[in-house]
Structures are given as structure tokens and as C-alpha cells.
Amino acid sequence: MSAKLPSRVTIGTVLSVAGALFIGYVGVSYLLAPQSMAPDFGLPTWPHGEGAGFLAVKGIRDVVSGLVILSVALVGNRRVLGWVMLAMALTPIGDMFIVLFSDGAPATAFGVHGATALAVMLAGGLLLSGSRPQPQLQPQLQSQPSARLA
């Protein structure tokens, strides 16, 4: 008996939900213990004092990102989830460039943020390649006799 392999949509969905839970965890961690999480982002310095509120901004952004992905996944429209994942890939891409342009660690920029972007794009691509758009129901055109002017 051969085992049936999971479909691209299933793999994409699992990657999406796992990513959503992970980024939600990261966001909560930034809200609860920002100074312990900040060094892992890859920037050489972090705001302190009044500027430390920006770490909470990252926390909220990550929690909301996770909730958006989970919300779309729960609705069950895998094509929409695929497009959402591709759009969400812009966040780690942006983070990667922020680290690079701020003289941060290139290994973290590419290894953390770049790899995350690739994983998110992979999930989106799998979802879009494995699901087909629903055909639109079009009303049947009824032929009507043409009226002739006499």
C-alpha cells in the first residue's frame, strides 16, 4: 500500500498556519520581553528609554500579521490565503533591508529575514499553484428571435 502524499495546498496551508503561530509568538515575546528579543532582529543597536516603544510596535505588527493569516486560513479560501501570504512576504523582505541598510548583521538579514520571506513566498506559491479559481456561473444567453421591421 502506498502512502498518499499531501497536496501542495495542504503543505501551503500547514506552512501558513505554522508561520502565523510562530510570528504571533514572536510578536507576543516583543510585547512581554522586548529587550531580550531585540538583539535577535539583527540591528547593531536598539532604542532605549522612551524610544523603546518602537519594540512594542514590532510586537503588535507581528501579532496582527499572525491573526490576519489565521483569519484567512479559517475562512478556508486557499487562493486568498496564497495571495495574503505573498503580500505578507513583504514584511520580512522589508526587515531584511532594514537590517542591511542599518549596518546590521548580514547573516541575520539573510538567514532570518530572507529565509522567512522565502518560506512565506513558498507557502503562497504552493497555495496558488495547487488551488484553482472557482468558475464563475454565467447566465445562459437565451436566443430571442429578432424582430423585423416591416
mmCIF file of all heavy atoms in Angstrom, residues 16-55:
data_model
loop_
_atom_site.group_PDB
_atom_site.id
_atom_site.type_symbol
_atom_site.label_atom_id
_atom_site.label_comp_id
_atom_site.label_asym_id
_atom_site.label_seq_id
_atom_site.Cartn_x
_atom_site.Cartn_y
_atom_site.Cartn_z
ATOM 1 N N SER A 16 1.540 27.986 6.224
ATOM 2 C CA SER A 16 0.918 29.272 6.559
ATOM 3 C C SER A 16 0.500 29.331 8.017
ATOM 4 O O SER A 16 0.780 30.307 8.718
ATOM 5 C CB SER A 16 -0.308 29.519 5.669
ATOM 6 O OG SER A 16 0.062 29.588 4.318
ATOM 7 N N VAL A 17 -0.174 28.292 8.474
ATOM 8 C CA VAL A 17 -0.639 28.273 9.864
ATOM 9 C C VAL A 17 0.547 28.207 10.827
ATOM 10 O O VAL A 17 0.567 28.929 11.836
ATOM 11 C CB VAL A 17 -1.625 27.104 10.092
ATOM 12 C CG1 VAL A 17 -1.947 26.923 11.569
ATOM 13 C CG2 VAL A 17 -2.912 27.342 9.291
ATOM 14 N N ALA A 18 1.544 27.384 10.505
ATOM 15 C CA ALA A 18 2.737 27.321 11.363
ATOM 16 C C ALA A 18 3.434 28.679 11.407
ATOM 17 O O ALA A 18 3.853 29.143 12.475
ATOM 18 C CB ALA A 18 3.694 26.243 10.859
ATOM 19 N N GLY A 19 3.547 29.328 10.255
ATOM 20 C CA GLY A 19 4.156 30.660 10.206
ATOM 21 C C GLY A 19 3.363 31.680 10.997
ATOM 22 O O GLY A 19 3.936 32.528 11.689
ATOM 23 N N ALA A 20 2.040 31.598 10.900
ATOM 24 C CA ALA A 20 1.181 32.526 11.642
ATOM 25 C C ALA A 20 1.352 32.350 13.150
ATOM 26 O O ALA A 20 1.454 33.333 13.892
ATOM 27 C CB ALA A 20 -0.282 32.319 11.253
ATOM 28 N N LEU A 21 1.390 31.104 13.592
ATOM 29 C CA LEU A 21 1.576 30.848 15.023
ATOM 30 C C LEU A 21 2.955 31.312 15.488
ATOM 31 O O LEU A 21 3.094 31.897 16.567
ATOM 32 C CB LEU A 21 1.375 29.362 15.322
ATOM 33 C CG LEU A 21 -0.044 28.830 15.103
ATOM 34 C CD1 LEU A 21 -0.076 27.313 15.262
ATOM 35 C CD2 LEU A 21 -1.037 29.506 16.027
ATOM 36 N N PHE A 22 3.967 31.075 14.652
ATOM 37 C CA PHE A 22 5.319 31.486 15.020
ATOM 38 C C PHE A 22 5.430 33.003 15.103
ATOM 39 O O PHE A 22 5.952 33.538 16.086
ATOM 40 C CB PHE A 22 6.346 30.926 14.040
ATOM 41 C CG PHE A 22 7.742 31.366 14.349
ATOM 42 C CD1 PHE A 22 8.416 30.828 15.438
ATOM 43 C CD2 PHE A 22 8.367 32.329 13.592
ATOM 44 C CE1 PHE A 22 9.709 31.242 15.756
ATOM 45 C CE2 PHE A 22 9.655 32.754 13.889
ATOM 46 C CZ PHE A 22 10.326 32.216 14.973
ATOM 47 N N ILE A 23 4.937 33.712 14.087
ATOM 48 C CA ILE A 23 5.079 35.172 14.109
ATOM 49 C C ILE A 23 4.213 35.769 15.220
ATOM 50 O O ILE A 23 4.577 36.781 15.823
ATOM 51 C CB ILE A 23 4.791 35.811 12.726
ATOM 52 C CG1 ILE A 23 5.367 37.233 12.666
ATOM 53 C CG2 ILE A 23 3.306 35.845 12.418
ATOM 54 C CD1 ILE A 23 6.858 37.313 12.835
ATOM 55 N N GLY A 24 3.102 35.141 15.535
ATOM 56 C CA GLY A 24 2.305 35.585 16.673
ATOM 57 C C GLY A 24 3.076 35.433 17.976
ATOM 58 O O GLY A 24 3.057 36.322 18.836
ATOM 59 N N TYR A 25 3.775 34.310 18.122
ATOM 60 C CA TYR A 25 4.616 34.088 19.302
ATOM 61 C C TYR A 25 5.722 35.140 19.391
ATOM 62 O O TYR A 25 5.984 35.687 20.463
ATOM 63 C CB TYR A 25 5.209 32.676 19.260
ATOM 64 C CG TYR A 25 6.309 32.462 20.272
ATOM 65 C CD1 TYR A 25 5.998 32.249 21.606
ATOM 66 C CD2 TYR A 25 7.643 32.499 19.888
ATOM 67 C CE1 TYR A 25 7.013 32.069 22.549
ATOM 68 C CE2 TYR A 25 8.656 32.323 20.817
ATOM 69 C CZ TYR A 25 8.336 32.113 22.144
ATOM 70 O OH TYR A 25 9.335 31.949 23.071
ATOM 71 N N VAL A 26 6.358 35.416 18.258
ATOM 72 C CA VAL A 26 7.418 36.436 18.236
ATOM 73 C C VAL A 26 6.835 37.786 18.664
ATOM 74 O O VAL A 26 7.430 38.515 19.462
ATOM 75 C CB VAL A 26 8.077 36.523 16.844
ATOM 76 C CG1 VAL A 26 8.972 37.745 16.721
ATOM 77 C CG2 VAL A 26 8.862 35.248 16.557
ATOM 78 N N GLY A 27 5.667 38.117 18.142
ATOM 79 C CA GLY A 27 5.030 39.386 18.494
ATOM 80 C C GLY A 27 4.721 39.498 19.972
ATOM 81 O O GLY A 27 5.007 40.517 20.612
ATOM 82 N N VAL A 28 4.163 38.443 20.534
ATOM 83 C CA VAL A 28 3.866 38.440 21.975
ATOM 84 C C VAL A 28 5.163 38.568 22.772
ATOM 85 O O VAL A 28 5.230 39.293 23.775
ATOM 86 C CB VAL A 28 3.074 37.175 22.373
ATOM 87 C CG1 VAL A 28 3.000 37.013 23.882
ATOM 88 C CG2 VAL A 28 1.672 37.228 21.774
ATOM 89 N N SER A 29 6.216 37.902 22.312
ATOM 90 C CA SER A 29 7.503 37.988 23.001
ATOM 91 C C SER A 29 8.052 39.408 22.967
ATOM 92 O O SER A 29 8.626 39.874 23.953
ATOM 93 C CB SER A 29 8.508 37.025 22.365
ATOM 94 O OG SER A 29 8.069 35.698 22.504
ATOM 95 N N TYR A 30 7.878 40.112 21.849
ATOM 96 C CA TYR A 30 8.317 41.510 21.771
ATOM 97 C C TYR A 30 7.495 42.396 22.704
ATOM 98 O O TYR A 30 7.999 43.388 23.222
ATOM 99 C CB TYR A 30 8.228 42.042 20.339
ATOM 100 C CG TYR A 30 9.510 41.898 19.578
ATOM 101 C CD1 TYR A 30 9.740 40.786 18.792
ATOM 102 C CD2 TYR A 30 10.510 42.856 19.658
ATOM 103 C CE1 TYR A 30 10.920 40.638 18.092
ATOM 104 C CE2 TYR A 30 11.697 42.723 18.968
ATOM 105 C CZ TYR A 30 11.906 41.606 18.189
ATOM 106 O OH TYR A 30 13.085 41.468 17.505
ATOM 107 N N LEU A 31 6.245 42.047 22.910
ATOM 108 C CA LEU A 31 5.419 42.843 23.823
ATOM 109 C C LEU A 31 5.761 42.573 25.285
ATOM 110 O O LEU A 31 5.745 43.488 26.104
ATOM 111 C CB LEU A 31 3.938 42.555 23.570
ATOM 112 C CG LEU A 31 3.396 43.058 22.229
ATOM 113 C CD1 LEU A 31 1.989 42.523 21.997
ATOM 114 C CD2 LEU A 31 3.421 44.576 22.184
ATOM 115 N N LEU A 32 6.087 41.325 25.611
ATOM 116 C CA LEU A 32 6.339 40.964 27.008
ATOM 117 C C LEU A 32 7.790 41.136 27.440
ATOM 118 O O LEU A 32 8.045 41.460 28.600
ATOM 119 C CB LEU A 32 5.897 39.510 27.257
ATOM 120 C CG LEU A 32 4.405 39.226 27.055
ATOM 121 C CD1 LEU A 32 4.117 37.747 27.284
ATOM 122 C CD2 LEU A 32 3.557 40.105 27.961
ATOM 123 N N ALA A 33 8.735 40.885 26.536
ATOM 124 C CA ALA A 33 10.159 40.967 26.889
ATOM 125 C C ALA A 33 10.944 41.566 25.729
ATOM 126 O O ALA A 33 11.792 40.894 25.135
ATOM 127 C CB ALA A 33 10.679 39.585 27.241
ATOM 128 N N PRO A 34 10.668 42.834 25.391
ATOM 129 C CA PRO A 34 11.265 43.412 24.175
ATOM 130 C C PRO A 34 12.790 43.452 24.187
ATOM 131 O O PRO A 34 13.417 43.193 23.162
ATOM 132 C CB PRO A 34 10.671 44.817 24.118
ATOM 133 C CG PRO A 34 10.199 45.108 25.497
ATOM 134 C CD PRO A 34 9.838 43.786 26.106
ATOM 135 N N GLN A 35 13.394 43.773 25.299
ATOM 136 C CA GLN A 35 14.853 43.898 25.320
ATOM 137 C C GLN A 35 15.556 42.557 25.147
ATOM 138 O O GLN A 35 16.676 42.505 24.653
ATOM 139 C CB GLN A 35 15.319 44.601 26.598
ATOM 140 C CG GLN A 35 14.867 46.044 26.703
ATOM 141 C CD GLN A 35 15.355 46.919 25.538
ATOM 142 O OE1 GLN A 35 16.406 46.705 24.978
ATOM 143 N NE2 GLN A 35 14.554 47.922 25.194
ATOM 144 N N SER A 36 14.896 41.471 25.525
ATOM 145 C CA SER A 36 15.517 40.161 25.322
ATOM 146 C C SER A 36 15.341 39.679 23.887
ATOM 147 O O SER A 36 16.139 38.881 23.395
ATOM 148 C CB SER A 36 14.942 39.132 26.299
ATOM 149 O OG SER A 36 13.590 38.870 25.990
ATOM 150 N N MET A 37 14.328 40.160 23.199
ATOM 151 C CA MET A 37 14.080 39.749 21.817
ATOM 152 C C MET A 37 14.835 40.606 20.808
ATOM 153 O O MET A 37 15.211 40.129 19.744
ATOM 154 C CB MET A 37 12.578 39.841 21.504
ATOM 155 C CG MET A 37 11.715 38.832 22.226
ATOM 156 S SD MET A 37 12.042 37.135 21.716
ATOM 157 C CE MET A 37 11.496 37.163 20.017
ATOM 158 N N ALA A 38 15.038 41.859 21.142
ATOM 159 C CA ALA A 38 15.579 42.827 20.190
ATOM 160 C C ALA A 38 16.895 42.417 19.535
ATOM 161 O O ALA A 38 17.044 42.581 18.324
ATOM 162 C CB ALA A 38 15.718 44.190 20.867
ATOM 163 N N PRO A 39 17.865 41.868 20.270
ATOM 164 C CA PRO A 39 19.142 41.527 19.624
ATOM 165 C C PRO A 39 19.007 40.497 18.498
ATOM 166 O O PRO A 39 19.813 40.478 17.581
ATOM 167 C CB PRO A 39 19.991 40.971 20.770
ATOM 168 C CG PRO A 39 19.395 41.567 21.999
ATOM 169 C CD PRO A 39 17.924 41.679 21.721
ATOM 170 N N ASP A 40 17.988 39.662 18.548
ATOM 171 C CA ASP A 40 17.805 38.635 17.524
ATOM 172 C C ASP A 40 17.313 39.203 16.195
ATOM 173 O O ASP A 40 17.321 38.503 15.191
ATOM 174 C CB ASP A 40 16.827 37.565 18.007
ATOM 175 C CG ASP A 40 17.361 36.793 19.196
ATOM 176 O OD1 ASP A 40 18.604 36.724 19.352
ATOM 177 O OD2 ASP A 40 16.545 36.268 19.972
ATOM 178 N N PHE A 41 16.874 40.442 16.176
ATOM 179 C CA PHE A 41 16.380 41.053 14.939
ATOM 180 C C PHE A 41 17.515 41.316 13.962
ATOM 181 O O PHE A 41 17.322 41.273 12.756
ATOM 182 C CB PHE A 41 15.634 42.355 15.260
ATOM 183 C CG PHE A 41 14.897 42.920 14.092
ATOM 184 C CD1 PHE A 41 13.638 42.445 13.748
ATOM 185 C CD2 PHE A 41 15.452 43.932 13.325
ATOM 186 C CE1 PHE A 41 12.950 42.969 12.661
ATOM 187 C CE2 PHE A 41 14.774 44.464 12.232
ATOM 188 C CZ PHE A 41 13.520 43.981 11.903
ATOM 189 N N GLY A 42 18.702 41.621 14.482
ATOM 190 C CA GLY A 42 19.863 41.812 13.628
ATOM 191 C C GLY A 42 20.400 43.221 13.533
ATOM 192 O O GLY A 42 21.373 43.463 12.827
ATOM 193 N N LEU A 43 19.800 44.165 14.236
ATOM 194 C CA LEU A 43 20.303 45.533 14.198
ATOM 195 C C LEU A 43 21.432 45.711 15.209
ATOM 196 O O LEU A 43 21.424 45.076 16.272
ATOM 197 C CB LEU A 43 19.181 46.532 14.485
ATOM 198 C CG LEU A 43 18.091 46.619 13.420
ATOM 199 C CD1 LEU A 43 16.982 47.556 13.869
ATOM 200 C CD2 LEU A 43 18.661 47.068 12.088
ATOM 201 N N PRO A 44 22.382 46.603 14.921
ATOM 202 C CA PRO A 44 23.515 46.778 15.836
ATOM 203 C C PRO A 44 23.135 47.450 17.154
ATOM 204 O O PRO A 44 23.766 47.202 18.174
ATOM 205 C CB PRO A 44 24.499 47.635 15.038
ATOM 206 C CG PRO A 44 23.689 48.307 13.992
ATOM 207 C CD PRO A 44 22.520 47.409 13.715
ATOM 208 N N THR A 45 22.142 48.317 17.145
ATOM 209 C CA THR A 45 21.710 48.985 18.377
ATOM 210 C C THR A 45 20.191 49.007 18.430
ATOM 211 O O THR A 45 19.520 48.912 17.408
ATOM 212 C CB THR A 45 22.221 50.439 18.460
ATOM 213 O OG1 THR A 45 21.695 51.166 17.354
ATOM 214 C CG2 THR A 45 23.736 50.496 18.444
ATOM 215 N N TRP A 46 19.685 49.167 19.662
ATOM 216 C CA TRP A 46 18.235 49.200 19.857
ATOM 217 C C TRP A 46 17.857 50.429 20.651
ATOM 218 O O TRP A 46 18.641 50.913 21.467
ATOM 219 C CB TRP A 46 17.771 47.943 20.605
ATOM 220 C CG TRP A 46 17.647 46.819 19.638
ATOM 221 C CD1 TRP A 46 18.586 45.869 19.374
ATOM 222 C CD2 TRP A 46 16.577 46.571 18.762
ATOM 223 N NE1 TRP A 46 18.145 45.039 18.387
ATOM 224 C CE2 TRP A 46 16.909 45.443 17.989
ATOM 225 C CE3 TRP A 46 15.348 47.183 18.531
ATOM 226 C CZ2 TRP A 46 16.076 44.908 17.017
ATOM 227 C CZ3 TRP A 46 14.509 46.650 17.568
ATOM 228 C CH2 TRP A 46 14.878 45.534 16.822
ATOM 229 N N PRO A 47 16.634 50.911 20.431
ATOM 230 C CA PRO A 47 16.196 52.070 21.205
ATOM 231 C C PRO A 47 16.050 51.721 22.683
ATOM 232 O O PRO A 47 15.687 50.605 23.029
ATOM 233 C CB PRO A 47 14.849 52.426 20.583
ATOM 234 C CG PRO A 47 14.383 51.199 19.893
ATOM 235 C CD PRO A 47 15.614 50.425 19.515
ATOM 236 N N HIS A 48 16.378 52.686 23.506
ATOM 237 C CA HIS A 48 16.232 52.526 24.952
ATOM 238 C C HIS A 48 15.402 53.694 25.472
ATOM 239 O O HIS A 48 15.216 54.695 24.793
ATOM 240 C CB HIS A 48 17.607 52.507 25.635
ATOM 241 C CG HIS A 48 18.450 51.340 25.206
ATOM 242 N ND1 HIS A 48 18.236 50.073 25.681
ATOM 243 C CD2 HIS A 48 19.486 51.250 24.338
ATOM 244 C CE1 HIS A 48 19.110 49.251 25.129
ATOM 245 N NE2 HIS A 48 19.880 49.947 24.301
ATOM 246 N N GLY A 49 14.938 53.584 26.688
ATOM 247 C CA GLY A 49 14.159 54.661 27.296
ATOM 248 C C GLY A 49 12.857 54.880 26.553
ATOM 249 O O GLY A 49 12.135 53.937 26.246
ATOM 250 N N GLU A 50 12.573 56.131 26.234
ATOM 251 C CA GLU A 50 11.318 56.456 25.560
ATOM 252 C C GLU A 50 11.230 55.844 24.163
ATOM 253 O O GLU A 50 10.159 55.552 23.663
ATOM 254 C CB GLU A 50 11.152 57.972 25.466
ATOM 255 C CG GLU A 50 10.916 58.619 26.815
ATOM 256 C CD GLU A 50 10.769 60.128 26.706
ATOM 257 O OE1 GLU A 50 10.543 60.637 25.597
ATOM 258 O OE2 GLU A 50 10.884 60.790 27.743
ATOM 259 N N GLY A 51 12.379 55.660 23.518
ATOM 260 C CA GLY A 51 12.388 55.074 22.178
ATOM 261 C C GLY A 51 12.082 53.590 22.147
ATOM 262 O O GLY A 51 11.811 53.025 21.089
ATOM 263 N N ALA A 52 12.119 52.942 23.300
ATOM 264 C CA ALA A 52 11.874 51.502 23.356
ATOM 265 C C ALA A 52 10.444 51.145 22.968
ATOM 266 O O ALA A 52 10.148 49.986 22.683
ATOM 267 C CB ALA A 52 12.201 50.962 24.743
ATOM 268 N N GLY A 53 9.565 52.119 22.921
ATOM 269 C CA GLY A 53 8.185 51.867 22.494
ATOM 270 C C GLY A 53 8.108 51.311 21.080
ATOM 271 O O GLY A 53 7.135 50.645 20.722
ATOM 272 N N PHE A 54 9.141 51.569 20.276
ATOM 273 C CA PHE A 54 9.138 51.031 18.918
ATOM 274 C C PHE A 54 9.209 49.509 18.906
ATOM 275 O O PHE A 54 8.787 48.870 17.947
ATOM 276 C CB PHE A 54 10.268 51.637 18.086
ATOM 277 C CG PHE A 54 9.951 53.017 17.615
ATOM 278 C CD1 PHE A 54 10.501 54.117 18.246
ATOM 279 C CD2 PHE A 54 9.081 53.219 16.559
ATOM 280 C CE1 PHE A 54 10.194 55.398 17.836
ATOM 281 C CE2 PHE A 54 8.766 54.494 16.129
ATOM 282 C CZ PHE A 54 9.320 55.583 16.760
ATOM 283 N N LEU A 55 9.742 48.924 19.966
ATOM 284 C CA LEU A 55 9.761 47.471 20.050
ATOM 285 C C LEU A 55 8.345 46.927 20.207
ATOM 286 O O LEU A 55 8.019 45.860 19.688
ATOM 287 C CB LEU A 55 10.651 47.014 21.205
ATOM 288 C CG LEU A 55 12.124 47.424 21.081
ATOM 289 C CD1 LEU A 55 12.891 47.016 22.328
ATOM 290 C CD2 LEU A 55 12.751 46.841 19.834
#
